[in-house]
Amino acid sequence: MKYLSEYRDEEITQGYLQALRKEVTRPWTIMEICGGQTHSLVKNGILDMLPPGITMVHGPGCPVCVTPLSIIDEAIALAERPEVILCSFGDMLRVPGSSRSLLEAKARGADVCIVYSPLEAVQLAATNPDREVIFFAVGFETTAPANALSVVQAHKQNISNYSILASHVLVPPAMEAILSDPENKIDAFLAAGHVCTIMGMDEYDPIVEKYKVPIVVTGFEPVDLLQGIYMAVMQLEKGVAKLENQYARVVHRDGNKLAREAIGEVFDISDRTWRGIGEIPKSGYEVKDDYRKFNARLKFQLEKMVVKENEDCISGAIMKGLKKPFQCPNFGTKCKPEHPLGAPMVSSEGACAAYYQYAGMKEEVL
Amino acid sequence: MVPEAKIEDYVLVHVGVAISIVDEEEAKKTFDYIQKIGELEELQNSGKDYEISQ
């Protein structure tokens, strides 16, 4: 077993689809939290194959998409300092800031470098002692341990020219914010498998309890997603709300303790503004005071920026599951991956990019 | 971040860091589950009582 091809098996996929068709007796709206799941659903044509009663809405689990304009502007301001090498994951580069993106800043001479791991940025700092290396630490709970580890590593190796611009977000507070919205129509959630790999499942029990909403921790391959949807539908049809784990081959009930310890060592929970959604209390991580010399905001004395979001972008409604990308008047016209109005059209986890790339611009997917 | 990983284990790697070991027994259950659904349908069709166990 290689744990990958089997989960893309056509026969099993069809089996789940058939089983679903038999179970669905009324319309249900299910939100998948993670942008990786959104892309898999669209890329594999699952949205087209689901029984008509099931509507999938796409959640806020795209870290690039929810990074507010003010933090992108902070990153650009840092990148434009002559002593700075700003390291970032690739899909952050084309996200528009107030006046330009990181990619445009790079074209104007800023030293912006794409890395695949924060540990590469620490390495870069070690080999460039005369420069200031800043890692743009974007991510959900899944990415936080690696980012924390980079700070611990820099601290242990006495690398003083490394710091991070933290832009971390947390899933459960966002789910609560979505469920508290009076317009929300979500009947069940597919929780993000890789977030739960780190955090475990306990923090979702209170949400199931409070909102009586089924939550199924789900993986990312077609068979995973269909099994997750099937398990959610079975609960809905029976009228029960439970926390279940479809992705047990990777997610353990108590998560990864070592990874959580790394997070706890470096980060404190903080309030966070989500692009398109607004401020959600206790929904992010900021660098702890003990590690303040690795906090780029303090190190470079960044002032808090107040900026206005682009009103033409409806990313907030999309990430709360209230609208689909096709319902945006600018989708595919004023807003394309090459010229995005907002982050969901840019990121490899953004819902608009998924529809643009894979759904063939078809209205029927609605 | 999975110090218990052994050679030949499959691990899940995210941004350069291993975060979980893939559990083979659990991995198989997805396929058992769909099989069970199929068997249930057969039972259902033959008019017998059924119950999902997972």
Side-chain angles (χ1 to χ4, degrees), chain A residues 70 73 98 303-308:
Chain A
S70 57
D73 285 351
S98 295
E303 282 179 26
K304 201 162 176 146
M305 298 190 190
V306 182
V307 288
K308 212 163 157 260

Side-chain angles (χ1 to χ4, degrees), chain A residues 176-198:
Chain A
E176 290 231 42
I178 289 168
L179 286 166
S180 310
D181 190 318
E183 284 184 71
N184 121 73
K185 296 184 189 73
I186 296 157
D187 298 308
F189 282 101
L190 305 186
H194 292 159
V195 167
C196 298
T197 305
I198 304 295

Side-chain angles (χ1 to χ4, degrees), chain A residues 29-41:
Chain A
T29 299
I30 302 171
M31 173 180 271
E32 83 281 0
I33 291 292
C34 178
Q37 293 169 326
T38 307
H39 268 250
S40 187
L41 285 172

Side-chain angles (χ1 to χ4, degrees), chain B:
Chain B
M1 293 199 167
V2 280
E4 66 276 25
K6 303 181 299 292
I7 291 173
E8 293 197 347
D9 276 348
Y10 281 88
V11 293
L12 175 69
V13 177
H14 179 71
V15 295
V17 176
I19 55 174
S20 184
I21 301 171
V22 184
D23 183 324
E24 184 155 4
E25 284 311 304
E26 290 292 344
K28 285 178 183 154
K29 283 186 187 166
T30 299
F31 307 106
D32 297 343
Y33 187 73
I34 184 77
Q35 214 167 350
K36 248 184 229 168
I37 296 171
E39 284 164 15
L40 287 176
E41 268 166 29
E42 278 167 30
L43 277 177
Q44 219 176 346
N45 293 341
S46 65
K48 290 179 191 161
D49 288 335
Y50 71 97
E51 192 186 354
I52 283 215
S53 61
Q54 206 231 322

Side-chain angles (χ1 to χ4, degrees), chain A residues 21-69:
Chain A
R21 279 183 212 114
K22 289 210 171 99
E23 295 298 338
V24 179
T25 62
R26 46 170 287 199
W28 299 112
T29 299
I30 302 171
M31 173 180 271
E32 83 281 0
I33 291 292
C34 178
Q37 293 169 326
T38 307
H39 268 250
S40 187
L41 285 172
V42 184
K43 184 178 176 179
N44 292 296
I46 295 171
L47 297 186
D48 286 331
M49 295 189 284
L50 286 173
I54 299 176
T55 304
M56 298 303 295
V57 291
H58 317 308
C62 161
V64 173
C65 304
V66 300
T67 298
L69 201 53

Side-chain angles (χ1 to χ4, degrees), chain A residues 125-343:
Chain A
T127 49
N128 291 275
D130 54 335
R131 304 288 298 278
E132 281 291 336
V133 175
I134 302 170
F135 179 65
F136 194 0
V138 172
F140 276 89
E141 293 94 324
T142 324
T143 317
N147 293 348
L149 211 58
S150 78
V151 169
V152 172
Q153 203 176 67
H155 175 66
K156 279 189 179 156
Q157 294 175 11
N158 261 330
I159 299 172
S160 59
N161 60 327
Y162 178 73
S163 58
I164 67 171
L165 177 65
S167 177
H168 273 292
V169 273
L170 307 175
V171 168
M175 283 171 80
E176 290 231 42
I178 289 168
L179 286 166
S180 310
D181 190 318
E183 284 184 71
N184 121 73
K185 296 184 189 73
I186 296 157
D187 298 308
F189 282 101
L190 305 186
H194 292 159
V195 167
C196 298
T197 305
I198 304 295
M199 305 306 284
M201 292 167 61
D202 290 350
E203 55 187 5
Y204 296 90
D205 283 320
I207 300 177
V208 171
E209 184 65 30
K210 185 172 169 189
Y211 297 94
K212 306 286 176 244
V213 61
I215 300 180
V216 182
V217 177
T218 303
F220 297 80
E221 297 301 328
V223 171
D224 289 322
L225 288 159
L226 282 165
Q227 190 186 6
I229 294 168
Y230 180 83
M231 289 162 81
V233 166
M234 288 297 283
Q235 286 198 45
L236 291 168
E237 291 284 344
K238 283 184 193 161
V240 297
K242 289 187 291 186
L243 176 61
E244 290 185 298
N245 185 7
Q246 179 279 328
Y247 201 32
R249 68 183 183 279
V250 167
V251 175
H252 308 296
R253 178 86 201 180
D254 55 352
N256 184 330
K257 193 165 165 268
L258 208 61
R260 280 202 307 282
E261 279 170 8
I263 295 174
E265 171 69 21
V266 174
F267 294 118
D268 276 332
I269 291 178
S270 65
D271 297 344
R272 239 308 287 273
T273 301
W274 295 55
R275 193 170 199 173
I277 296 178
E279 182 158 310
I280 305 177
K282 296 183 178 154
S283 68
Y285 288 136
E286 184 53 279
V287 179
K288 266 189 174 168
D289 215 34
D290 296 353
Y291 287 94
R292 54 183 295 124
K293 59 183 183 172
F294 296 98
N295 183 345
R297 283 194 180 89
L298 300 177
K299 189 172 189 179
F300 298 95
Q301 296 173 336
L302 284 180
E303 282 179 26
K304 201 162 176 146
M305 298 190 190
V306 182
V307 288
K308 212 163 157 260
E309 299 279 351
N310 187 335
E311 285 171 2
D312 287 343
C313 179
I314 62 159
S315 64
I318 287 175
M319 288 184 291
K320 283 191 274 189
L322 303 177
K323 285 204 169 149
K324 292 284 189 107
F326 287 134
Q327 290 168 304
C328 174
N330 298 310
F331 177 81
T333 53
K334 257 169 90 179
C335 184
K336 291 182 176 187
E338 310 86 73
H339 302 287
L341 288 178

